[in-house]
Amino acid sequence: MTLQGKHILVGISGGIAAYKIPELIRLLQKEGAEVRVTTTENALQFVTELTLRTLTGALVYSDVFAAVNQHATEHISLPDWADLMVIAPATANILGKMAHGIADDALTTTFAAMLKPVVIAPAMNDKMYINPATQDAMHLLSSQQHITMLDCATGYLACGSEGKGRMQEIDVIAEAVISALTPKTLLGKKVMITSGPTQEKLDPVRFISNFSTGKQGRALAKEAARRGAEVTLISGSMSAQEMYETCMQTFPQMDIAILAAAVADFTPEEVAPEKIKKQPGQTEMILRLRKTPDIAASLGKIKRQDQTLIGFALETENEEFNALRKLEQKNLDMIVLNSLKDKGAGFGYDTNKVTFLTRDGHKKSLPLMSKEETASEIINCLS
Ligand code: C5P
């Protein structure tokens, strides 16, 4: 729950993409946020006040003069209440107004008083998007420090044509909200993360692999990016040898490397050029494997004083002893130990239960938590 305890104000203007905003509200609430809504009058042509009020459990601020809603000074109190305002969709009209300080309705008056983080997700017809007036407004707004301006996406437009003008998908908008509220503790840092299983080829159609899903590594990459790091994620269908070569090339440019990949220890000695066929009567097949390079240990050897190297250890017995030995042997600064003994931890689960062991002798055991939260705890150790 990355938005736990946060107050998010959603501003909706009158574009067809407004029909997606109830889903955005849900997404923000699932992350723990309390959400309130302000709209333009036109927005309520696309999404009903009842829908928004039911979802948020709060009055929708859309009419500056509606005494019945006791909204008299909402344009001031809402920015005070909110930690962040997200305006989606932002029409060409509302962008123009916001860029030039025009405040003539509930949404724009609230925006004008909002000096905390703002995320804007524009949406319009492709011709309105390329109109210099719209482009100027977007540039003016994005030059303000507290504003994150998302660009429009390209694709199918409600008017029936294809082009640039779509609102970004709601998960992209939610991510921008989370990112805007995350302290930039890794700003300027270059972070490399290995993730997922390796694939050791047997022939053109088969490989040996493992059950790793790459969830923990992806969560780490996401969290590092949210903290402002420049992230290189090394993952995908590659062999241990290929991952080794990529890592050895990349690591010298990095400040930090986190090795969350489940790298194969052995690989077939030969890759058959054609599909291996079973022979009539054949009842067994013997594969000869050879050792792969240990990426962590190799990086440990070339690691500089100014670099940090973090590894993972998945152990089934003598867990701490084995993890500490790996920390030592691979010259890591920290090792994240996860045990398969813990229910809900490890391969395929969304949760993990880990213990941090550091080179300088510190130990921290965490309770069972989501892989996102685990990622956040690991990244906390870096700042
Ligand atoms: O497989 P092992 O338990 O030794 O893995 C511990 C750490 O070493 C992990 O961080 C893993 O990503 C890394 N590793 C590696 N290259 C290998 C094997 C493991 O980088 N060939």
Side-chain angles (χ1 to χ4, degrees):
M1 299 251 277
T2 41
L3 294 174
Q4 190 66 49
K6 297 288 182 200
H7 292 172
I8 309 290
L9 178 61
V10 176
I12 312 173
S13 67
I16 179 62
Y19 84 90
K20 297 178 180 172
I21 303 309
E23 284 289 346
L24 174 66
I25 293 171
R26 269 272 169 266
L27 209 56
L28 298 172
Q29 287 171 331
K30 264 192 213 147
E31 290 295 332
E34 193 183 322
V35 178
R36 293 209 196 154
V37 176
T38 175
T39 75
T40 62
E41 227 179 287
N42 288 345
L44 296 178
Q45 299 285 334
F46 296 98
V47 57
T48 75
E49 199 270 343
L50 180 63
T51 304
L52 299 168
R53 181 154 42 92
T54 308
L55 283 176
T56 59
L59 293 174
V60 174
Y61 178 49
S62 58
D63 181 354
V64 196
F65 300 109
V68 65
N69 284 351
Q70 298 170 329
H71 274 326
T73 56
E74 274 329 47
H75 64 288
I76 303 300
S77 64
L78 277 176
D80 280 346
W81 170 86
D83 295 301
L84 177 144
M85 181 175 188
V86 50
I87 299 161
T91 58
N93 176 56
I94 217 80
L95 289 169
K97 284 190 192 177
M98 292 193 303
H100 298 286
I102 297 172
D104 63 353
D105 63 10
L107 193 156
T108 47
T109 47
T110 307
F111 170 77
M114 183 69 188
L115 299 175
K116 286 181 265 182
V118 176
V119 172
I120 302 178
M124 67 206 73
N125 160 273
D126 54 341
K127 294 193 184 67
M128 294 170 90
Y129 173 80
I130 55 169
N131 185 315
T134 312
Q135 288 295 318
D136 283 353
M138 286 174 68
H139 284 130
L140 260 175
L141 288 164
S142 56
S143 69
Q144 296 181 31
Q145 257 233 309
H146 67 301
I147 295 180
T148 304
M149 174 67 73
L150 299 176
D151 200 3
C152 286
T154 302
Y156 175 77
L157 299 168
C159 50
S161 59
E162 290 265 334
K164 190 163 183 184
R166 283 174 63 87
M167 187 177 74
Q168 291 289 346
E169 297 301 331
I170 54 168
D171 56 337
V172 175
I173 301 173
E175 183 57 36
V177 167
I178 294 167
S179 179
L181 287 172
T182 307
K184 300 290 171 253
T185 55
L186 291 181
L187 198 64
K189 298 280 183 205
K190 292 195 166 109
V191 180
M192 169 184 119
I193 294 163
T194 70
S195 163
T198 57
Q199 295 180 343
E200 307 305 321
K201 246 174 132 176
L202 277 171
D203 68 17
V205 294
R206 302 183 180 98
F207 59 80
I208 301 173
S209 193
N210 58 65
F211 291 119
S212 168
T213 57
K215 276 184 188 167
Q216 187 61 72
R218 278 197 300 280
L220 279 161
K222 212 170 181 179
E223 183 62 24
R226 282 174 184 169
R227 306 277 185 115
E230 190 185 308
V231 180
T232 304
L233 180 62
I234 299 173
S235 183
S237 34
M238 63 176 87
S239 65
Q241 180 64 32
E242 287 165 329
M243 189 176 273
Y244 166 79
E245 284 163 19
T246 312
C247 286
M248 291 299 276
Q249 263 180 21
T250 312
F251 186 57
Q253 289 82 256
M254 297 291 126
D255 299 296
I256 298 158
I258 308 177
L259 308 175
V263 185
D265 289 326
F266 293 93
T267 192
E269 193 150 84
E270 280 170 30
V271 182
E274 305 297 337
K275 184 181 170 191
I276 302 168
K277 294 239 184 295
K278 55 182 178 297
Q279 302 303 327
Q282 186 181 0
T283 56
E284 65 174 21
M285 178 181 170
I286 294 167
L287 273 179
R288 183 172 282 277
L289 306 176
R290 69 177 152 74
K291 183 78 184 70
T292 56
D294 188 317
I295 303 168
S298 310
L299 298 182
K301 283 203 184 101
I302 61 167
K303 186 179 72 167
R304 298 186 308 264
Q305 278 278 319
D306 62 317
Q307 290 178 306
T308 305
L309 189 57
I310 299 181
F312 276 71
L314 194 146
E315 302 293 336
T316 55
E317 54 182 357
N318 296 330
E319 298 161 319
E320 237 175 274
F321 176 81
N322 285 330
L324 280 172
R325 208 186 48 198
K326 277 180 193 169
L327 179 92
E328 212 42 60
Q329 281 172 351
K330 302 186 191 218
N331 192 25
L332 306 172
D333 298 291
M334 184 170 101
I335 195 152
V336 181
L337 167 66
N338 45 6
S339 163
L340 275 185
K341 280 182 190 155
D342 292 302
K343 205 166 173 288
F347 289 142
Y349 290 105
D350 288 328
T351 47
N352 221 349
K353 187 161 181 285
V354 301
T355 300
F356 299 160
L357 300 164
T358 65
R359 176 150 282 261
D360 46 15
H362 285 101
K363 175 183 160 182
K364 186 177 179 189
S365 294
L366 298 172
L368 190 74
M369 53 175 68
S370 72
K371 287 187 172 168
E372 281 76 20
E373 285 165 328
T374 307
S376 182
E377 293 281 352
I378 294 170
I379 303 283
N380 282 344
C381 298
L382 295 168
S383 28

